Amino acid sequence: MGGDLILMGPPGVGKGTQAKALARANGWLHLSTGDLFRDHIRRQTDVGRRVKGILDAGAYVPDDLTVDMVRDRLATTPADQRIVFDGFPRTAAQADALDDLLAERGRRVEAVLLLEAPREELRARLEGRAKAEGRTDDTPEVIANRLDVYERETRPLVAHYEAKGLTRRIDGVGPVEAVTERLRDAADRHEVRS
Ligand code: AMP
């Protein structure tokens, strides 16, 4: 069986949309930690109450809470169900934890697809989206913070996966369908499609 896939990239690059499309086209499980946190907030669980302020500020949820949530999700995922991770891992500690979690279940990361776009484009997209959705919490300051946190905490992971020869860079600029096509090609070249 092929391994799992990680879709990595800065906020605003279209990771969520693309991960969903890729998962749907291939029958994979789309595992988005952002979606899982938002679901906890909607259901007003203990986790939801703990993370709401963190998400509003564009900061990262602590690693232990995030990893526990992923561990729970993996526990109910059949061994032959391939996964596309979206928004996880985001820190070095999460990447190490993921390696262990997958190994415990006889799973492994097959490829890391890195979606990229210039910071100016990302900032403009995020501000446009905040306006369109009337998200008053997504101020220019919060948006700048999101981008900074990504650079500081998550970009170093690229080297972690590059050292293992797993990374593929994909241009995230252009129409959604064009980017989807590029991702498909990259996944094909890694023979990660089912
Ligand atoms: P996303 O939908 O992936 O942009 O995630 C939305 C928010 O959820 C992020 O801004 C973080 O506050 C939180 N979050 C999602 N995934 C993680 C993660 N792997 N580690 C820490 N925080 C996360």
Side-chain angles (χ1 to χ4, degrees):
M1 195 198 80
D4 298 317
L5 211 67
I6 297 174
L7 196 53
M8 202 181 277
V13 80
K15 238 179 349 355
T17 307
Q18 297 296 346
K20 253 180 231 146
L22 204 59
R24 201 184 311 115
N26 293 287
W28 296 344
L29 172 70
H30 172 220
L31 200 164
S32 156
T33 42
D35 281 355
L36 292 175
F37 284 132
R38 281 183 288 272
D39 189 53
H40 274 287
I41 293 171
R42 250 191 315 272
R43 292 189 286 121
Q44 302 187 336
T45 64
D46 280 346
V47 169
R49 274 187 284 275
R50 285 176 68 185
V51 304
K52 184 174 186 319
I54 300 175
L55 265 74
D56 283 348
Y60 281 179
V61 173
D63 288 330
D64 53 350
L65 201 59
T66 307
V67 169
D68 283 349
M69 188 174 69
V70 172
R71 183 183 293 111
D72 287 349
R73 188 66 191 83
L74 286 177
T76 59
T77 303
D80 61 354
Q81 170 67 68
R82 294 170 77 180
I83 301 172
V84 54
F85 290 96
D86 164 12
F88 182 88
R90 263 176 157 101
T91 65
Q94 292 179 16
D96 290 342
L98 179 61
D99 284 345
D100 292 345
L101 285 177
L102 293 180
E104 281 164 19
R105 288 165 182 75
R107 315 183 66 106
R108 67 193 162 81
V109 176
E110 169 119 15
V112 178
L113 305 181
L114 176 64
L115 263 183
E116 299 186 298
R119 183 179 171 106
E120 259 321 287
E121 162 112 11
L122 298 169
R123 201 186 50 72
R125 283 192 200 178
L126 289 167
E127 288 186 2
R129 188 161 84 189
K131 221 171 270 163
E133 295 174 3
R135 287 172 56 162
T136 46
D137 54 321
D138 249 353
T139 60
E141 289 72 29
V142 170
I143 286 169
N145 187 45
R146 272 190 221 291
L147 293 168
D148 289 343
V149 171
Y150 175 83
E151 289 301 325
R152 196 172 60 236
E153 303 282 345
T154 304
R155 183 169 302 280
L157 293 191
V158 174
H160 171 89
Y161 288 113
E162 234 156 26
K164 300 182 176 195
L166 295 175
T167 310
R168 250 178 205 289
R169 295 169 184 271
I170 292 111
D171 180 7
V173 180
V176 173
E177 299 75 24
V179 177
T180 306
E181 202 46 45
R182 285 174 212 151
L183 275 168
R184 280 225 186 97
D185 285 352
D188 274 346
R189 280 201 297 279
H190 254 284
E191 296 177 350
V192 290
R193 293 179 77 186
S194 47

